[in-house]
Amino acid sequence: MQIFKVGGAVRDRLLGKPVTDIDWVVVGATTEEMLAQGYRPVGADFPVFLHPKSGEEYALARTERKSGRGYGGFTFHASPEVTLEEDLIRRDLTINAMAEDDQQNLTDPYHGQRDLEARILRHVSPAFAEDPLRVLRVARFAARYAGLGFTVAPETLELMRQLSESGELEALTVERSWKEISRALLEDRPQVFIEVLRDCGALKVLMPEVDALFGVPQPEAHHPEIDTGLHTLSVLEQSALHKQPLTVRWACLLHDLGKGLTPEEEWPRHIAHEHTGLKLIKAVNERFKAPKDCQELALLVGKYHTHGHRALELKASTLLELLQSFDVYRRPQRFEEFIAACEMDARGRKGLEQRSYPQADYLRGAAKVAREVAVQPLLEKGFKGPELGEALKRERLKALKAYKENA
């Protein structure tokens, strides 16, 4: 029995990056031998075990053969005769197909270290094209390592293109797709994830609503970058630069979908795109079964982001409606995330990345004023039920009018 550290742990150590998760491969062992040593089996699909003390995953060296569609369409074979090289060749990228023993002696049959140094994301073998999930994984790695200068090898991009055109992407489970998308959006360069998906034709399969934004012009006075797709990428980039959470990044990606529905004869204006985009945002939310907080914020940002930009001009009554829509009294954090998404939208424009956004503090102040209106005096006056709600609304409106006058 030989045990090797494999995959990301080896890659990140060679890159000088922190190693978090460690995967282990066991060569020359049987399931019975693993169980006898106290390892605990995990799942029924293939032989993976938890270490009796550390709890880390140890997998028997295995080969795999395509047996159906999608991510799960594989038959695995594990036996003591499977070599380390045979196990490594089934992996996605050469930089993930390296192994090392406990002395840090490197096994690198597919030149992963060379590609690491050349900053290339390259597939290990033609079997790459058997797993559609790898399209999303490579795009995610491109987003993670773009800051180090990594790019996707042309031949790998071509395989990704073939996969995108094959119909295999439709066989991906929602859960696996969302896991890759959400992880990619939280990388340092999430916009690169979208760019790579677009370059290989996967974006128009997975998110045609986002793909449709490229080539759609906007008024140059407000959008020096003109192209709506490029604007979306810039907004996503700003969300990462400002360390925004997943909810905000998801909203940033989807906020302008309505502009993809504007008839060409109306370009570059996009009247009521906030409203027309809601059905598209809802469709994307449901397609990937995004978490509820991501879904809600994306819809609210889509509907109200122009309100955010025009905050200082809004009537007190409109301001109150905005605050009510976000339920700022019970869910203040959601409104804070809306403000953040609006600011990212304002900064995601060519040459305007450093612009100030006074609307943010103005909206925070308005929410504070509305929240500070006390209920007790109204109760003491005998208001209750629907009448109490209306009285509270009147008092909040009065407070917001005073706030506007003094702002």
Side-chain angles (χ1 to χ4, degrees), residues 15 95 115-116 119-121 141-142 145-152:
L15 279 173
I95 64 168
D115 283 343
L116 213 54
R119 301 301 197 241
I120 294 288
L121 301 173
F141 280 119
Y145 295 122
L148 296 177
F150 276 82
T151 56
V152 181

Side-chain angles (χ1 to χ4, degrees), residues 324 378-379 382-394 396:
Q324 305 273 79
L378 299 174
L379 291 171
F383 288 107
K384 56 186 177 182
E387 288 183 348
L388 176 63
E390 287 302 313
L392 195 53
K393 195 172 176 181
R394 284 195 299 273
R396 285 169 175 162

Side-chain angles (χ1 to χ4, degrees), residues 37-50:
Q37 292 193 28
Y39 286 84
R40 304 190 306 278
V42 178
D45 291 343
F46 42 79
V48 176
F49 304 84
L50 298 181

Side-chain angles (χ1 to χ4, degrees), residues 86-151:
E86 286 174 323
D87 181 273
L88 293 174
I89 200 171
R90 67 182 177 78
R91 296 171 186 271
D92 51 7
L93 297 171
T94 60
I95 64 168
N96 296 330
M98 298 180 282
E100 60 185 25
D101 60 19
D102 55 4
Q103 303 297 311
Q104 290 192 342
N105 295 312
L106 192 68
T107 300
D108 183 18
Y110 309 108
H111 311 297
Q113 191 170 21
R114 184 181 68 193
D115 283 343
L116 213 54
E117 291 166 358
R119 301 301 197 241
I120 294 288
L121 301 173
R122 192 192 315 275
H123 64 283
V124 178
S125 77
F128 174 95
E130 295 177 352
D131 184 355
L133 189 69
R134 288 175 169 175
V135 172
L136 290 166
R137 275 177 58 82
V138 172
R140 175 166 64 82
F141 280 119
R144 177 182 297 179
Y145 295 122
L148 296 177
F150 276 82
T151 56

